[in-house]
Amino acid sequence: MRSGPLAAPERKHGGGHEQSTGHSTGDGLVALQAEIHHRRDQRADRIGLIGFSAGGHLAGLAALAPGDDPREAVQFALLGYAITSMETESYRPARLILLGEDASPHLRRRTSLDALVTEVSPPFFLWHTAEDIYVPPEHSYRLASALAAHEVPHTVHVFAHGPHSLALAEGAGQAAVWTKLAQSWIAEQTRMP
């Protein structure tokens, strides 16, 4: 079995646009889908996505709305302090950066990860810090709630301390343990049939 996680490419900050699927897209999503296709062509049977902040939105969007091609489906996703909702005003700048000033309520809903969860969504690992002022933990809570409502396997870790953009969180106190938790979780996901 060939498998492994992919990191979502850094999300370019610019206005999104709507394609026929109605989802926000751009160079980042197209590039990520192309990489998933490439890995499938190399016979990868289990693919996971990893993304942080706006890249977490991109990874989550690719995991939850893979499109019509079954080769775009992934088996798991790991999101760190991800922007998951385009409907909340708690971080309006992200919505403006990713969707543009004139995003309709319909587009905002169709690009909110919690609205895209279904019973066949892949498992998720979510982590955040309670002190994140740029992307409040409400984003992880909303997605976790949707995953739970659809009985999608998931794990959520919200650490009490730490700012936004911790990445590997080395030397960041309790939040630094997220990498060990994720390593164990990813190993579990790649062993599944």
Side-chain angles (χ1 to χ4, degrees):
M1 172 174 81
R2 299 176 130 195
S3 61
L6 298 175
E10 184 176 335
R11 184 78 185 245
K12 292 181 180 177
H13 296 299
H17 61 279
E18 232 175 291
Q19 281 190 328
S20 60
T21 61
H23 297 295
S24 172
T25 189
D27 294 340
L29 184 58
V30 171
L32 186 52
Q33 290 169 331
E35 182 62 22
I36 293 168
H37 278 264
H38 176 72
R39 298 291 175 111
R40 293 283 183 221
D41 290 344
Q42 292 181 333
R43 305 174 59 95
D45 57 349
R46 296 197 61 75
I47 296 175
L49 301 175
I50 300 173
F52 301 89
S53 194
H57 181 263
L58 175 63
L61 188 60
L64 294 169
D68 295 330
D69 188 340
R71 294 183 317 147
E72 291 177 4
V74 298
Q75 285 63 52
F76 60 93
L78 185 155
L79 308 183
Y81 45 89
I83 299 164
T84 66
S85 176
M86 294 298 159
E87 295 181 296
T88 179
E89 292 299 322
S90 65
Y91 194 56
R92 186 173 181 269
R95 182 173 46 85
L96 296 177
I97 291 167
L98 297 173
L99 299 182
E101 182 70 47
D102 299 322
S104 69
H106 178 71
L107 178 60
R108 289 173 59 187
R109 180 73 181 149
R110 292 189 61 137
T111 55
S112 290
L113 303 185
D114 54 304
L116 300 175
V117 175
T118 68
E119 289 77 13
V120 297
S121 295
F124 274 77
F125 179 106
L126 307 173
W127 80 273
H128 222 112
T129 62
E131 295 178 338
D132 188 334
I133 62 171
Y134 294 105
V135 181
E138 172 190 357
H139 284 264
S140 287
Y141 294 142
R142 285 177 67 116
L143 180 54
S145 180
L147 293 165
H150 289 89
E151 299 182 3
V152 175
H154 64 283
T155 188
V156 183
H157 301 280
V158 178
F159 301 101
H161 303 291
H164 187 70
S165 296
L166 281 178
L168 297 178
E170 294 172 336
Q174 181 191 24
V177 75
W178 88 261
T179 56
K180 290 188 187 303
L181 296 168
Q183 182 179 19
S184 174
W185 184 84
I186 290 170
E188 181 181 319
Q189 301 310 306
T190 58
R191 284 192 302 266
M192 295 178 126

